[in-house]
């Protein structure tokens, strides 16, 4: 900036310029040095006007700043920057377009710095199309311009476009920085997670490693999270183990990865390591939500109580996601009444809180209570989400409330403007199928306007398993084998149906198909907590030092209960064997091993809590009913579908599961 006279020759005259914004009841005064036109140059006036516009922007007086902008022929870069930031904060697209037009008319549109700011502004205003136009018209694209567009597209969910531009950027030789890698890794999971996107994520992993960014904590945490979203737990774990520095975000990401991918045991172990091995990483609310999810998955009530105490001590009990996770944890650990008390004490509730409570009652089989809470939620002015309907429809399914479920399903679009998705159709097929209305369920599948997908066909196949409908099971399994050729569970389910129908030739064919495709049945596994330690059980577990004692107890219990009317249910055994050998096989199921372990290691009057990764089989269900009466023990078993509370020889599910 040059002046027409030497600085010492200029004699300024000061006076006050006052602006009275209409929106302000008390007009503020801005005292500015304005040089007398007779003694100063236009350059000095330019300095003053730019400074005044900037001051107005900092105060949030965008309208007044824009009025003055129209009188300023040469705004500075900083002036434009503050105007752009102010438009973003005020969420005013019309004003943003006005500033953008001024930049174009002024010829500053090719300034890479301003282009970066404009792209960010349009992204914050939700106008990704305008952001693209700024990028397309910018000839000199620095890495900051590229990153701004990557951020805008990623936030808008256009991950595929980001990845395409990233490869283009590499081809023309623009070097990535740490922000680039963060955005493109996030882009891998903003679109539908496919094998192709995972492959691209692995390529980006290789790129950043070659560039030496594999020690950067933020990039590696984002990489870990990407692998977690694809369910690649081993990859995520390797990234985490290789991190030279970890912060609370990276620890939380690893715990969440385990908790959300069926590795609750590992999630709790990692949390313990975080608490004992680190001094700088204090768990935050995100950490606690994941840890509570892990406790819920394992029905680890005692550990959940400890976490609850920690939450209270840290003052995290006012954070809605944490309290919602507590409600779910207590419900999934069999303490539904405690979850209800936590919910009742909440000062404010969001839809996640309501969904947590509805889901808790649903998984316990209290469908009518779940519907009552749903209606209470509506009366309190909360708007249901698609997740809400999954929870309440699932609750109807567990109690066989067919007509109530159909009414709720029909109300989704009619009353709440929510278009039923695949998950909702799967709930309805499950509801109808469990109630032995298989023809109606099959008709619903046939009339779907979209591809039913694995969830819907899986619900139908599961219903066929309950009611022994071979013909419909074969139809559903054909679709499932095409949609999920590597899902061993579908083959095993069909084999179960054939075995119950004594169709051994077809059982052998399914087993050969499993072998041909290199698939293995998911082993049944159970968990239970004893004195704040979680134990895991699988069938024929030779690593447990108590196994001999456990087997001996089970044999003795089975013999005693046979005298009281217990008849082992062996029709689900996938082998054509003698009855005695089939009984030996079902006696080794993981839930029976866990039950025997619980009988040995719990005090009189103390309930046994077991979690199973598969559906509870008929024999284990019958066996546990007998044990609850024979040993006068309350036993809670949560399988993949619902909660079973056994007491005095009766199950809370009413033998409907």
């Amino acid at each position: 900036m040059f002046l027409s006279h030497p600085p010492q020759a200029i004699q300024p005259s000061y006076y006050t310029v006052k602006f009275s914004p209409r929106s302000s009841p008390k007009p503020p005064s801005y005292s500015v040095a304005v040089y007398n036109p007779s003694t100063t140059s236009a350059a000095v006036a330019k300095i003053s006007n730019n400074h005044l516009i900037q001051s107005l922007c900092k105060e949030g007086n965008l309208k007044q700043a824009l009025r003055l902008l129209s009188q300023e022929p040469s705004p500075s870069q900083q002036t434009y920057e503050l105007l752009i930031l102010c438009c973003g904060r005020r969420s005013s697209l019309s004003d943003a377009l006005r500033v953008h037009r001024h930049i174009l008319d002024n010829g500053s549109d090719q300034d890479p710095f301003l282009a970066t700011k404009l792209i960010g502004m349009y992204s914050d205003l939700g106008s990704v199309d305008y952001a693209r136009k700024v990028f397309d018209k910018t000839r000199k694209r620095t890495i900051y311009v590229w990153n701004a567009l990557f951020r805008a597209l990623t936030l808008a969910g256009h991950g595929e476009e980001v990845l395409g531009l990233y490869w283009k950027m590499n081809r023309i030789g623009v070097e990535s920085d740490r922000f680039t890698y963060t955005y493109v890794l996030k882009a891998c999971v903003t679109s539908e997670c496919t094998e192709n996107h995972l492959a691209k994520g692995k390529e980006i992993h290789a790129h950043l490693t070659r560039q030496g960014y594999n020690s950067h904590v933020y990039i590696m945490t984002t990489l870990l999270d990407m692998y977690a979203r694809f369910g690649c737990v081993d990859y995520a774990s390797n990234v985490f183990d290789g991190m030279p520095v970890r912060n609370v975000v990276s620890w939380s990401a690893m715990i969440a990865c385990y908790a959300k991918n069926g590795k609750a045991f590992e999630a709790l172990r990692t949390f313990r390591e975080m608490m004992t091995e680190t001094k700088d990483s204090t768990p935050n609310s995100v950490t606690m939500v994941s840890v509570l999810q892990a406790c819920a998955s394992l029905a680890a009530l005692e550990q959940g109580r400890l976490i609850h105490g920690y939450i209270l001590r840290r003052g995290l009990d006012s954070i809605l996601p944490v309290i919602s996770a507590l409600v779910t944890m207590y419900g999934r650990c069999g303490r539904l009444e405690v979850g209800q008390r936590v919910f009742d004490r909440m000062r404010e509730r969001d839809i996640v809180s309501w969904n947590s409570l509805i889901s808790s009652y649903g998984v316990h089989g209290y469908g009518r209570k779940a519907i009552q809470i749903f209606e209470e939620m509506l009366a309190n002015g909360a708007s249901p989400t698609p997740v809400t309907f999954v929870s309440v429809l699932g609750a109807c399914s567990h109690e066989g409330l067919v007509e109530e479920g159909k009414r709720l399903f029909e109300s989704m679009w009619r009353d709440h403007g929510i278009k039923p998705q695949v998950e909702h159709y799967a709930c309805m097929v499950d509801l109808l199928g469990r109630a032995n209305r298989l023809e109606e369920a099959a008709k619903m599948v046939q009339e779907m306007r979209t591809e039913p997908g694995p969830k819907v066909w899986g619900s139908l196949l599961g219903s066929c398993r309950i009611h022994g409908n071979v013909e419909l099971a074969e139809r559903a399994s054909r679709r499932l084998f095409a949609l999920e050729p590597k899902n061993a569970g579908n083959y095993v389910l069909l084999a179960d149906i054939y075995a119950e129908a004594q169709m051994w030739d077809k059982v052998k064919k399914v087993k050969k198909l499993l072998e041909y495709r290199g698939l293995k049945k998911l082993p049944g596994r159970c968990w239970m907590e004893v004195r704040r330690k979680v134990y895991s059980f699988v069938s024929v577990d030779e690593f447990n030092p108590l196994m001999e004692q456990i087997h001996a107890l089970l044999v003795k219990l089975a013999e005693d209960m046979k005298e009281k009317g217990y008849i082992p249910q062996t029709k689900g055994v996938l082998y054509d064997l003698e009855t005695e050998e089939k009984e030996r096989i079902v006696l080794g199921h993981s839930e029976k091993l866990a039950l025997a372990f619980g009988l040995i290691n719990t005090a009189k009057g103390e309930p046994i809590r077991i979690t199973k990764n598969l559906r509870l089989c008929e024999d284990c269900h019958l066996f546990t009913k007998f044990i609850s009466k024979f040993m006068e023990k309350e036993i809670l078993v949560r399988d993949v579908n619902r909660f079973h509370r056994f007491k005095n020889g009766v199950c809370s599910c009413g033998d409907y599961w």
Side-chain angles (χ1 to χ4, degrees):
M1 192 69 66
F2 296 97
L3 303 178
S4 57
H5 300 281
Q8 63 270 24
I10 300 175
Q11 299 296 323
S13 299
Y14 293 91
Y15 59 92
T16 299
V17 181
K18 292 186 177 180
F19 293 88
S20 301
R22 296 177 183 175
S23 59
S24 175
K26 294 183 179 180
S29 297
Y30 299 92
S31 296
V32 198
V34 180
Y35 291 97
N36 190 308
S38 62
T39 60
T40 64
S41 68
V44 177
K46 176 183 174 183
I47 294 174
S48 303
N49 288 338
N50 274 291
H51 179 73
L52 182 54
I53 295 171
Q54 293 168 23
S55 297
L56 290 166
C57 288
K58 290 175 183 177
E59 294 292 330
N61 294 318
L62 180 59
K63 297 297 181 185
Q64 293 179 20
L66 290 174
R67 291 193 194 101
L68 195 58
L69 176 66
S70 63
Q71 302 170 18
E72 174 53 58
S74 302
S76 67
Q77 186 189 69
Q78 186 180 4
T79 297
Y80 279 134
E81 178 191 8
L82 290 172
L83 283 164
I84 290 168
L85 291 173
C86 195
C87 289
R89 285 196 298 266
R90 305 282 289 187
S91 300
S92 175
L93 180 59
S94 59
D95 290 332
L97 292 170
R98 182 177 172 184
V99 172
H100 191 180
R101 279 194 298 271
H102 201 284
I103 291 172
L104 288 168
D105 294 341
N106 185 259
S108 299
D109 56 307
Q110 291 305 313
D111 182 340
F113 176 81
L114 292 180
T116 301
K117 296 299 179 182
L118 282 169
I119 293 170
M121 174 191 70
Y122 282 129
S123 173
D124 294 340
L125 293 172
S127 302
V128 71
D129 288 339
Y130 284 115
R132 282 196 195 95
K133 290 177 182 178
V134 173
F135 178 83
D136 292 340
K137 292 181 179 180
T138 304
R139 292 187 292 273
K140 185 180 179 182
R141 297 170 183 165
T142 63
I143 186 59
Y144 306 107
V145 176
W146 285 93
N147 286 345
L149 185 64
F150 289 161
R151 173 184 176 273
L153 294 172
T154 300
L155 290 174
H158 301 294
E160 192 70 43
E161 187 176 354
V162 173
L163 295 174
L165 287 167
Y166 172 70
W167 304 124
K168 178 181 177 181
M169 188 187 83
N170 285 334
R171 284 195 301 271
I172 62 177
V174 179
E175 190 171 328
S176 302
D177 66 6
R178 64 188 182 94
F179 296 105
T180 313
Y181 289 121
T182 300
Y183 297 138
V184 296
L185 285 171
K186 289 181 178 179
C188 291
V189 292
T190 53
S191 305
E192 183 180 354
C193 293
T194 65
E195 289 292 328
N196 183 43
H197 290 108
L198 175 59
K200 289 179 178 178
K202 290 178 178 178
E203 285 187 52
I204 295 166
H205 186 179
H207 288 186
L208 65 90
T209 300
R210 286 195 296 269
Q211 295 298 319
Y213 283 101
N214 55 334
S215 61
H216 197 288
V217 63
Y218 298 107
I219 293 176
M220 299 311 286
T221 300
T222 307
L223 178 65
L224 186 163
D225 187 61
M226 181 209 74
Y227 282 129
R229 299 286 186 90
F230 283 103
C232 299
V233 180
D234 290 340
Y235 282 105
S237 180
N238 288 336
V239 170
F240 181 76
D241 291 341
M243 293 176 69
V245 179
R246 298 165 184 163
N247 58 16
V248 65
V249 180
S250 48
W251 279 101
S252 299
M254 192 68 245
I255 293 168
C257 173
Y258 284 133
K260 293 176 181 177
N261 286 284
K263 302 282 186 179
F265 199 90
E266 290 80 356
L268 292 180
R269 184 201 65 212
T270 305
F271 176 67
R272 284 194 296 271
E273 291 174 1
M274 178 183 180
M275 296 296 286
T276 57
E277 296 180 10
T278 65
K279 296 180 180 179
D280 301 327
S281 298
T282 303
N284 57 22
S285 60
V286 177
T287 320
M288 304 322 296
V289 168
S290 297
V291 175
L292 287 170
Q293 288 173 347
C295 291
S297 297
L298 297 173
L301 177 62
E302 293 307 313
Q303 293 198 46
R305 284 172 171 165
L306 288 176
I307 300 302
H308 191 178
Y310 181 84
I311 288 168
L312 293 173
R313 290 193 299 274
R314 287 287 316 282
L316 300 173
D317 55 321
S318 61
I319 300 175
L320 281 174
V322 174
I323 303 303
S324 298
L326 272 171
V327 172
T328 300
M329 185 274 292
Y330 280 117
R332 296 300 172 95
C333 289
R335 297 302 303 273
L336 192 54
E337 71 285 358
V338 180
Q340 179 71 65
R341 284 204 300 270
V342 171
F343 180 85
D344 291 340
R345 291 172 182 171
M346 295 178 72
R347 295 177 182 175
E348 58 177 310
R349 298 161 184 160
D350 61 3
I351 189 61
V352 178
S353 310
W354 288 101
N355 290 348
S356 297
L357 191 63
I358 292 169
S359 176
S360 294
Y361 277 100
V363 79
H364 279 264
Y366 299 126
R368 297 185 190 281
K369 180 65 176 178
I371 294 173
Q372 178 186 331
I373 295 167
F374 174 79
E375 292 172 347
E376 182 183 343
M377 179 196 77
L378 297 179
N380 277 269
S383 300
T385 65
V387 174
T388 312
F389 280 101
V390 170
S391 297
V392 73
L393 290 173
C396 292
S397 180
H398 290 314
E399 200 174 344
L401 305 177
V402 177
E403 297 306 320
E404 292 85 344
K406 291 171 71 174
R407 175 179 58 80
L408 287 164
F409 182 76
E410 291 168 0
S411 75
M412 286 180 64
W413 177 254
R414 184 190 65 222
D415 300 337
H416 305 287
I418 298 174
K419 184 178 180 181
Q421 300 168 2
V422 169
E423 292 81 5
H424 304 108
Y425 281 102
C427 288
M428 288 303 298
V429 170
D430 185 67
L431 171 64
L432 295 167
R434 286 179 188 274
N436 203 13
R437 294 166 67 162
L438 288 169
E439 290 185 8
E440 193 174 345
K443 183 180 179 183
M444 173 169 277
V445 175
Q446 185 178 354
E447 293 178 351
M448 285 180 64
R449 296 181 180 179
T450 59
E451 167 59 45
K455 291 182 179 179
V456 175
W457 288 113
S459 293
L460 188 60
L461 183 61
S463 299
C464 293
R465 161 73 174 80
I466 295 170
H467 300 291
N469 190 315
V470 175
E471 182 180 351
L472 190 55
E474 290 177 333
R475 175 185 163 194
S477 61
R478 281 194 295 270
R479 295 295 302 143
L480 283 168
F481 294 166
L483 291 168
E484 295 182 319
K486 295 183 180 180
N487 187 344
N490 296 326
Y491 300 86
V492 173
L493 201 54
L494 180 61
D496 282 344
I497 295 169
Y498 284 144
E500 288 195 27
Q502 303 290 306
M503 302 170 70
W504 299 112
D505 289 341
K506 291 197 173 184
V507 171
K508 289 178 181 177
K509 287 182 180 179
V510 175
K511 291 172 70 176
K512 285 182 179 179
L513 188 57
L514 270 169
E515 293 175 7
Y516 174 75
R517 296 189 173 178
L519 304 175
K520 291 184 179 180
K521 176 184 177 181
L522 179 67
R525 182 178 292 274
C526 285
W527 297 268
M528 73 171 301
E529 184 187 41
V530 176
R531 291 183 285 277
R532 296 178 182 173
K533 185 175 180 181
V534 178
Y535 295 84
S536 175
F537 301 87
V538 293
S539 300
V540 196
D541 189 346
E542 301 298 339
F543 298 101
N544 193 318
L546 291 173
M547 193 52 61
E548 187 175 340
Q549 184 182 358
I550 288 172
H551 278 298
L553 177 59
L554 286 172
V555 170
K556 179 68 167 61
L557 288 171
E559 290 174 354
D560 291 345
M561 288 191 302
K562 281 181 181 179
E563 296 178 1
K564 298 182 180 295
Y566 164 64
I567 301 174
Q569 305 296 301
T570 61
K571 57 185 178 181
V573 177
L574 299 181
Y575 301 94
D576 189 7
L577 302 170
E578 296 295 328
T579 301
E580 185 177 335
E581 186 63 19
K582 287 185 177 182
E583 289 181 9
R584 189 190 67 79
I585 290 174
V586 297
L587 197 61
H589 282 187
S590 60
E591 47 265 65
K592 292 190 180 77
L593 301 178
L595 177 56
F597 182 81
L599 291 171
I600 294 169
N601 290 280
T602 57
K604 185 177 180 180
E606 181 183 355
I608 294 173
R609 293 181 176 83
I610 299 170
T611 302
K612 181 168 183 179
N613 64 335
L614 302 173
R615 180 182 182 270
L616 197 63
C617 79
E618 285 81 356
D619 185 65
C620 287
H621 193 269
L622 179 62
F623 186 90
T624 309
K625 283 202 298 184
F626 268 89
I627 288 291
S628 69
K629 184 175 182 180
F630 186 68
M631 301 295 289
E632 297 182 351
K633 197 79 168 174
E634 183 180 7
I635 304 162
L636 299 96
V637 181
R638 198 187 77 230
D639 67 7
V640 71
N641 290 326
R642 59 163 297 152
F643 220 102
H644 301 262
R645 185 185 295 268
F646 299 92
K647 193 172 183 179
N648 297 323
V650 177
C651 180
S652 60
C653 75
D655 298 338
Y656 187 88
W657 86 101

